[in-house]
mmCIF file of all heavy atoms in Angstrom:
data_model
loop_
_atom_site.group_PDB
_atom_site.id
_atom_site.type_symbol
_atom_site.label_atom_id
_atom_site.label_comp_id
_atom_site.label_asym_id
_atom_site.label_seq_id
_atom_site.Cartn_x
_atom_site.Cartn_y
_atom_site.Cartn_z
ATOM 1 N N ASN O 203 61.395 127.608 42.036
ATOM 2 C CA ASN O 203 62.627 128.389 41.941
ATOM 3 C C ASN O 203 62.907 128.999 43.305
ATOM 4 O O ASN O 203 62.005 129.558 43.935
ATOM 5 C CB ASN O 203 62.492 129.523 40.911
ATOM 6 C CG ASN O 203 62.400 129.009 39.496
ATOM 7 O OD1 ASN O 203 63.022 128.019 39.128
ATOM 8 N ND2 ASN O 203 61.597 129.691 38.676
ATOM 9 N N ILE O 204 64.151 128.874 43.776
ATOM 10 C CA ILE O 204 64.524 129.469 45.050
ATOM 11 C C ILE O 204 64.797 130.951 44.865
ATOM 12 O O ILE O 204 65.543 131.357 43.967
ATOM 13 C CB ILE O 204 65.753 128.761 45.641
ATOM 14 C CG1 ILE O 204 65.378 127.334 46.074
ATOM 15 C CG2 ILE O 204 66.323 129.541 46.833
ATOM 16 C CD1 ILE O 204 66.536 126.528 46.601
ATOM 17 N N LEU O 205 64.181 131.783 45.715
ATOM 18 C CA LEU O 205 64.353 133.231 45.649
ATOM 19 C C LEU O 205 65.307 133.755 46.713
ATOM 20 O O LEU O 205 66.000 134.751 46.491
ATOM 21 C CB LEU O 205 62.995 133.923 45.818
ATOM 22 C CG LEU O 205 61.899 133.535 44.829
ATOM 23 C CD1 LEU O 205 60.601 134.248 45.180
ATOM 24 C CD2 LEU O 205 62.318 133.849 43.395
ATOM 25 N N GLU O 206 65.336 133.074 47.869
ATOM 26 C CA GLU O 206 66.133 133.599 48.978
ATOM 27 C C GLU O 206 66.480 132.472 49.939
ATOM 28 O O GLU O 206 65.635 131.629 50.266
ATOM 29 C CB GLU O 206 65.343 134.683 49.713
ATOM 30 C CG GLU O 206 66.099 135.378 50.822
ATOM 31 C CD GLU O 206 65.257 136.456 51.493
ATOM 32 O OE1 GLU O 206 64.053 136.579 51.151
ATOM 33 O OE2 GLU O 206 65.794 137.167 52.364
ATOM 34 N N LYS O 207 67.732 132.451 50.377
ATOM 35 C CA LYS O 207 68.192 131.495 51.393
ATOM 36 C C LYS O 207 68.071 132.155 52.765
ATOM 37 O O LYS O 207 68.521 133.274 52.960
ATOM 38 C CB LYS O 207 69.641 131.089 51.124
ATOM 39 C CG LYS O 207 70.196 130.063 52.095
ATOM 40 C CD LYS O 207 71.622 129.680 51.711
ATOM 41 C CE LYS O 207 72.205 128.641 52.662
ATOM 42 N NZ LYS O 207 73.591 128.251 52.279
ATOM 43 N N LEU O 208 67.474 131.441 53.733
ATOM 44 C CA LEU O 208 67.207 132.015 55.052
ATOM 45 C C LEU O 208 67.772 131.109 56.145
ATOM 46 O O LEU O 208 67.037 130.307 56.752
ATOM 47 C CB LEU O 208 65.692 132.190 55.249
ATOM 48 C CG LEU O 208 64.965 133.047 54.208
ATOM 49 C CD1 LEU O 208 63.463 132.899 54.345
ATOM 50 C CD2 LEU O 208 65.380 134.503 54.343
ATOM 51 N N PRO O 209 69.074 131.199 56.437
ATOM 52 C CA PRO O 209 69.668 130.370 57.502
ATOM 53 C C PRO O 209 69.009 130.673 58.847
ATOM 54 O O PRO O 209 68.721 131.831 59.159
ATOM 55 C CB PRO O 209 71.145 130.781 57.498
ATOM 56 C CG PRO O 209 71.366 131.413 56.153
ATOM 57 C CD PRO O 209 70.076 132.073 55.811
ATOM 58 N N GLN O 210 68.761 129.630 59.645
ATOM 59 C CA GLN O 210 68.126 129.776 60.943
ATOM 60 C C GLN O 210 69.126 129.484 62.070
ATOM 61 O O GLN O 210 70.110 128.779 61.864
ATOM 62 C CB GLN O 210 66.941 128.809 61.066
ATOM 63 C CG GLN O 210 65.908 128.966 59.955
ATOM 64 C CD GLN O 210 65.220 130.305 59.985
ATOM 65 O OE1 GLN O 210 64.573 130.648 60.975
ATOM 66 N NE2 GLN O 210 65.335 131.075 58.902
ATOM 67 N N GLU O 211 68.856 130.024 63.234
ATOM 68 C CA GLU O 211 69.681 129.753 64.407
ATOM 69 C C GLU O 211 68.909 128.834 65.352
ATOM 70 O O GLU O 211 67.763 129.115 65.702
ATOM 71 C CB GLU O 211 70.046 131.044 65.129
ATOM 72 C CG GLU O 211 70.936 130.828 66.347
ATOM 73 C CD GLU O 211 71.316 132.125 67.023
ATOM 74 O OE1 GLU O 211 70.941 133.196 66.504
ATOM 75 O OE2 GLU O 211 71.963 132.061 68.081
ATOM 76 N N LYS O 212 69.534 127.729 65.747
ATOM 77 C CA LYS O 212 68.867 126.801 66.652
ATOM 78 C C LYS O 212 68.612 127.494 67.987
ATOM 79 O O LYS O 212 69.450 128.250 68.472
ATOM 80 C CB LYS O 212 69.725 125.546 66.854
ATOM 81 C CG LYS O 212 68.959 124.387 67.456
ATOM 82 C CD LYS O 212 69.669 123.055 67.285
ATOM 83 C CE LYS O 212 70.919 122.963 68.129
ATOM 84 N NZ LYS O 212 71.430 121.569 68.195
ATOM 85 N N THR O 213 67.473 127.254 68.577
ATOM 86 C CA THR O 213 67.084 127.969 69.787
ATOM 87 C C THR O 213 67.547 127.282 71.066
ATOM 88 O O THR O 213 67.171 127.682 72.165
ATOM 89 C CB THR O 213 65.552 128.146 69.838
ATOM 90 O OG1 THR O 213 64.922 126.856 69.771
ATOM 91 C CG2 THR O 213 65.073 129.004 68.680
ATOM 92 N N TRP O 214 68.349 126.235 70.946
ATOM 93 C CA TRP O 214 68.943 125.605 72.113
ATOM 94 C C TRP O 214 70.383 125.216 71.794
ATOM 95 O O TRP O 214 70.772 125.083 70.644
ATOM 96 C CB TRP O 214 68.136 124.384 72.569
ATOM 97 C CG TRP O 214 68.103 123.235 71.608
ATOM 98 C CD1 TRP O 214 68.917 122.130 71.592
ATOM 99 C CD2 TRP O 214 67.174 123.040 70.521
ATOM 100 N NE1 TRP O 214 68.564 121.270 70.573
ATOM 101 C CE2 TRP O 214 67.501 121.806 69.902
ATOM 102 C CE3 TRP O 214 66.106 123.790 70.014
ATOM 103 C CZ2 TRP O 214 66.799 121.311 68.807
ATOM 104 C CZ3 TRP O 214 65.413 123.289 68.925
ATOM 105 C CH2 TRP O 214 65.749 122.067 68.341
ATOM 106 N N ASN O 215 71.162 125.075 72.852
ATOM 107 C CA ASN O 215 72.560 124.681 72.711
ATOM 108 C C ASN O 215 72.707 123.165 72.742
ATOM 109 O O ASN O 215 71.803 122.442 73.155
ATOM 110 C CB ASN O 215 73.400 125.282 73.854
ATOM 111 C CG ASN O 215 73.444 126.793 73.803
ATOM 112 O OD1 ASN O 215 73.783 127.385 72.783
ATOM 113 N ND2 ASN O 215 73.085 127.438 74.907
ATOM 114 N N GLY O 216 73.873 122.705 72.315
ATOM 115 C CA GLY O 216 74.224 121.303 72.494
ATOM 116 C C GLY O 216 73.401 120.333 71.678
ATOM 117 O O GLY O 216 72.867 120.650 70.610
ATOM 118 N N HIS O 217 73.254 119.123 72.234
ATOM 119 C CA HIS O 217 72.595 118.019 71.522
ATOM 120 C C HIS O 217 71.720 117.267 72.516
ATOM 121 O O HIS O 217 72.210 116.690 73.484
ATOM 122 C CB HIS O 217 73.657 117.086 70.936
ATOM 123 C CG HIS O 217 73.107 116.019 70.049
ATOM 124 N ND1 HIS O 217 72.913 116.201 68.691
ATOM 125 C CD2 HIS O 217 72.693 114.755 70.313
ATOM 126 C CE1 HIS O 217 72.422 115.096 68.161
ATOM 127 N NE2 HIS O 217 72.272 114.202 69.132
ATOM 128 N N ILE O 218 70.417 117.283 72.290
ATOM 129 C CA ILE O 218 69.459 116.617 73.165
ATOM 130 C C ILE O 218 69.086 115.269 72.562
ATOM 131 O O ILE O 218 68.478 115.201 71.496
ATOM 132 C CB ILE O 218 68.201 117.484 73.349
ATOM 133 C CG1 ILE O 218 68.569 118.813 74.029
ATOM 134 C CG2 ILE O 218 67.146 116.738 74.160
ATOM 135 C CD1 ILE O 218 67.413 119.790 74.123
ATOM 136 N N HIS O 219 69.451 114.192 73.246
ATOM 137 C CA HIS O 219 69.233 112.834 72.742
ATOM 138 C C HIS O 219 68.340 112.083 73.723
ATOM 139 O O HIS O 219 68.687 111.887 74.885
ATOM 140 C CB HIS O 219 70.579 112.119 72.592
ATOM 141 C CG HIS O 219 70.479 110.778 71.918
ATOM 142 N ND1 HIS O 219 71.582 110.011 71.615
ATOM 143 C CD2 HIS O 219 69.410 110.062 71.470
ATOM 144 C CE1 HIS O 219 71.206 108.891 71.023
ATOM 145 N NE2 HIS O 219 69.883 108.900 70.932
ATOM 146 N N LEU O 220 67.182 111.664 73.253
ATOM 147 C CA LEU O 220 66.256 110.863 74.041
ATOM 148 C C LEU O 220 66.287 109.431 73.532
ATOM 149 O O LEU O 220 66.117 109.188 72.336
ATOM 150 C CB LEU O 220 64.837 111.422 73.928
ATOM 151 C CG LEU O 220 63.741 110.598 74.596
ATOM 152 C CD1 LEU O 220 63.868 110.656 76.109
ATOM 153 C CD2 LEU O 220 62.363 111.083 74.155
ATOM 154 N N ALA O 221 66.484 108.475 74.435
ATOM 155 C CA ALA O 221 66.429 107.055 74.081
ATOM 156 C C ALA O 221 65.358 106.404 74.939
ATOM 157 O O ALA O 221 65.417 106.475 76.173
ATOM 158 C CB ALA O 221 67.783 106.391 74.308
ATOM 159 N N MET O 222 64.364 105.798 74.295
ATOM 160 C CA MET O 222 63.246 105.235 75.052
ATOM 161 C C MET O 222 62.834 103.882 74.500
ATOM 162 O O MET O 222 63.045 103.578 73.316
ATOM 163 C CB MET O 222 62.042 106.178 75.005
ATOM 164 C CG MET O 222 61.446 106.359 73.622
ATOM 165 S SD MET O 222 59.924 107.345 73.600
ATOM 166 C CE MET O 222 58.752 106.233 74.398
ATOM 167 N N ALA O 223 62.266 103.074 75.367
ATOM 168 C CA ALA O 223 61.677 101.808 74.930
ATOM 169 C C ALA O 223 60.256 102.094 74.456
ATOM 170 O O ALA O 223 59.481 102.704 75.189
ATOM 171 C CB ALA O 223 61.664 100.808 76.085
ATOM 172 N N PRO O 224 59.900 101.700 73.233
ATOM 173 C CA PRO O 224 58.554 102.006 72.729
ATOM 174 C C PRO O 224 57.478 101.263 73.509
ATOM 175 O O PRO O 224 57.695 100.173 74.022
ATOM 176 C CB PRO O 224 58.615 101.544 71.264
ATOM 177 C CG PRO O 224 59.725 100.549 71.222
ATOM 178 C CD PRO O 224 60.718 100.981 72.244
ATOM 179 N N THR O 225 56.310 101.883 73.612
ATOM 180 C CA THR O 225 55.189 101.283 74.327
ATOM 181 C C THR O 225 54.430 100.313 73.417
ATOM 182 O O THR O 225 54.637 100.272 72.205
ATOM 183 C CB THR O 225 54.224 102.372 74.807
ATOM 184 O OG1 THR O 225 53.640 103.011 73.667
ATOM 185 C CG2 THR O 225 54.959 103.423 75.630
ATOM 186 N N LYS O 226 53.522 99.558 74.013
ATOM 187 C CA LYS O 226 52.688 98.638 73.228
ATOM 188 C C LYS O 226 51.779 99.406 72.267
ATOM 189 O O LYS O 226 51.472 98.932 71.174
ATOM 190 C CB LYS O 226 51.839 97.778 74.162
ATOM 191 C CG LYS O 226 52.631 96.839 75.061
ATOM 192 C CD LYS O 226 51.702 96.101 75.996
ATOM 193 C CE LYS O 226 52.470 95.212 76.963
ATOM 194 N NZ LYS O 226 51.577 94.520 77.927
ATOM 195 N N MET O 227 51.324 100.582 72.696
ATOM 196 C CA MET O 227 50.417 101.393 71.874
ATOM 197 C C MET O 227 51.234 102.414 71.107
ATOM 198 O O MET O 227 51.716 103.408 71.661
ATOM 199 C CB MET O 227 49.384 102.085 72.771
ATOM 200 C CG MET O 227 48.511 101.105 73.537
ATOM 201 S SD MET O 227 47.346 101.932 74.652
ATOM 202 C CE MET O 227 46.310 102.800 73.465
ATOM 203 N N MET O 228 51.402 102.186 69.807
ATOM 204 C CA MET O 228 52.283 103.002 68.994
ATOM 205 C C MET O 228 51.811 104.450 68.912
ATOM 206 O O MET O 228 52.630 105.369 68.797
ATOM 207 C CB MET O 228 52.376 102.406 67.582
ATOM 208 C CG MET O 228 53.560 102.911 66.800
ATOM 209 S SD MET O 228 55.117 102.524 67.636
ATOM 210 C CE MET O 228 56.151 103.832 67.040
ATOM 211 N N GLU O 229 50.509 104.683 69.034
ATOM 212 C CA GLU O 229 50.020 106.048 68.931
ATOM 213 C C GLU O 229 50.538 106.909 70.085
ATOM 214 O O GLU O 229 50.690 108.126 69.932
ATOM 215 C CB GLU O 229 48.483 106.092 68.879
ATOM 216 C CG GLU O 229 47.774 105.499 70.064
ATOM 217 C CD GLU O 229 47.429 104.027 69.862
ATOM 218 O OE1 GLU O 229 48.125 103.360 69.087
ATOM 219 O OE2 GLU O 229 46.452 103.567 70.494
ATOM 220 N N ARG O 230 50.834 106.305 71.206
ATOM 221 C CA ARG O 230 51.386 107.065 72.326
ATOM 222 C C ARG O 230 52.824 107.479 72.044
ATOM 223 O O ARG O 230 53.256 108.573 72.424
ATOM 224 C CB ARG O 230 51.290 106.241 73.614
ATOM 225 C CG ARG O 230 49.878 106.225 74.185
ATOM 226 C CD ARG O 230 49.600 105.122 75.152
ATOM 227 N NE ARG O 230 50.609 104.981 76.189
ATOM 228 C CZ ARG O 230 50.589 104.016 77.111
ATOM 229 N NH1 ARG O 230 49.604 103.125 77.107
ATOM 230 N NH2 ARG O 230 51.540 103.936 78.023
ATOM 231 N N VAL O 231 53.586 106.614 71.379
ATOM 232 C CA VAL O 231 54.948 106.968 70.977
ATOM 233 C C VAL O 231 54.908 108.083 69.938
ATOM 234 O O VAL O 231 55.704 109.030 69.980
ATOM 235 C CB VAL O 231 55.685 105.738 70.412
ATOM 236 C CG1 VAL O 231 57.082 106.119 69.922
ATOM 237 C CG2 VAL O 231 55.792 104.648 71.473
ATOM 238 N N GLU O 232 53.978 107.979 68.995
ATOM 239 C CA GLU O 232 53.844 109.008 67.965
ATOM 240 C C GLU O 232 53.481 110.351 68.592
ATOM 241 O O GLU O 232 53.999 111.396 68.185
ATOM 242 C CB GLU O 232 52.798 108.582 66.938
ATOM 243 C CG GLU O 232 53.221 107.357 66.127
ATOM 244 C CD GLU O 232 52.100 106.819 65.256
ATOM 245 O OE1 GLU O 232 50.954 107.299 65.406
ATOM 246 O OE2 GLU O 232 52.370 105.923 64.441
ATOM 247 N N TRP O 233 52.596 110.332 69.576
ATOM 248 C CA TRP O 233 52.218 111.567 70.280
ATOM 249 C C TRP O 233 53.444 112.182 70.947
ATOM 250 O O TRP O 233 53.674 113.388 70.840
ATOM 251 C CB TRP O 233 51.151 111.248 71.320
ATOM 252 C CG TRP O 233 50.797 112.420 72.194
ATOM 253 C CD1 TRP O 233 49.892 113.410 71.942
ATOM 254 C CD2 TRP O 233 51.379 112.728 73.477
ATOM 255 N NE1 TRP O 233 49.869 114.304 72.981
ATOM 256 C CE2 TRP O 233 50.761 113.920 73.938
ATOM 257 C CE3 TRP O 233 52.341 112.110 74.273
ATOM 258 C CZ2 TRP O 233 51.084 114.505 75.156
ATOM 259 C CZ3 TRP O 233 52.667 112.688 75.490
ATOM 260 C CH2 TRP O 233 52.046 113.867 75.923
ATOM 261 N N MET O 234 54.228 111.360 71.636
ATOM 262 C CA MET O 234 55.421 111.864 72.305
ATOM 263 C C MET O 234 56.402 112.455 71.304
ATOM 264 O O MET O 234 56.946 113.550 71.508
ATOM 265 C CB MET O 234 56.099 110.734 73.090
ATOM 266 C CG MET O 234 57.273 111.150 73.971
ATOM 267 S SD MET O 234 58.808 111.530 73.096
ATOM 268 C CE MET O 234 59.064 109.998 72.194
ATOM 269 N N ALA O 235 56.636 111.765 70.180
ATOM 270 C CA ALA O 235 57.572 112.253 69.171
ATOM 271 C C ALA O 235 57.103 113.573 68.583
ATOM 272 O O ALA O 235 57.906 114.486 68.333
ATOM 273 C CB ALA O 235 57.742 111.209 68.066
ATOM 274 N N GLU O 236 55.815 113.702 68.359
ATOM 275 C CA GLU O 236 55.259 114.951 67.830
ATOM 276 C C GLU O 236 55.489 116.104 68.795
ATOM 277 O O GLU O 236 55.991 117.170 68.409
ATOM 278 C CB GLU O 236 53.759 114.782 67.587
ATOM 279 C CG GLU O 236 53.064 116.050 67.101
ATOM 280 C CD GLU O 236 51.566 115.868 66.977
ATOM 281 O OE1 GLU O 236 50.904 115.717 68.036
ATOM 282 O OE2 GLU O 236 51.054 115.867 65.851
ATOM 283 N N LYS O 237 55.149 115.899 70.067
ATOM 284 C CA LYS O 237 55.266 116.984 71.050
ATOM 285 C C LYS O 237 56.726 117.309 71.349
ATOM 286 O O LYS O 237 57.078 118.491 71.528
ATOM 287 C CB LYS O 237 54.532 116.611 72.339
ATOM 288 C CG LYS O 237 53.052 116.319 72.150
ATOM 289 C CD LYS O 237 52.362 117.428 71.349
ATOM 290 C CE LYS O 237 50.909 117.079 71.039
ATOM 291 N NZ LYS O 237 50.284 118.068 70.126
ATOM 292 N N ALA O 238 57.588 116.301 71.393
ATOM 293 C CA ALA O 238 59.011 116.553 71.635
ATOM 294 C C ALA O 238 59.621 117.346 70.490
ATOM 295 O O ALA O 238 60.484 118.211 70.700
ATOM 296 C CB ALA O 238 59.759 115.234 71.822
#
């Protein structure tokens, strides 16, 4: 059951779009996506 709605404010402006070619080692892409 929902008790309270808590709207959040984004901590950056605009729209950050990263486009990259994936590496041979998928775990490195996953690491980057996690940290980003």
Side-chain angles (χ1 to χ4, degrees):
N203 291 325
I204 291 177
L205 303 177
E206 184 179 5
K207 182 178 180 179
L208 303 168
Q210 304 295 300
E211 181 178 356
K212 196 163 70 167
T213 57
W214 65 95
N215 295 307
H217 187 88
I218 298 174
H219 187 176
L220 174 70
M222 65 174 290
T225 65
K226 295 177 183 178
M227 299 177 65
M228 198 60 207
E229 59 267 26
R230 283 161 49 184
V231 177
E232 294 172 352
W233 174 85
M234 187 285 304
E236 177 184 68
K237 301 310 175 187

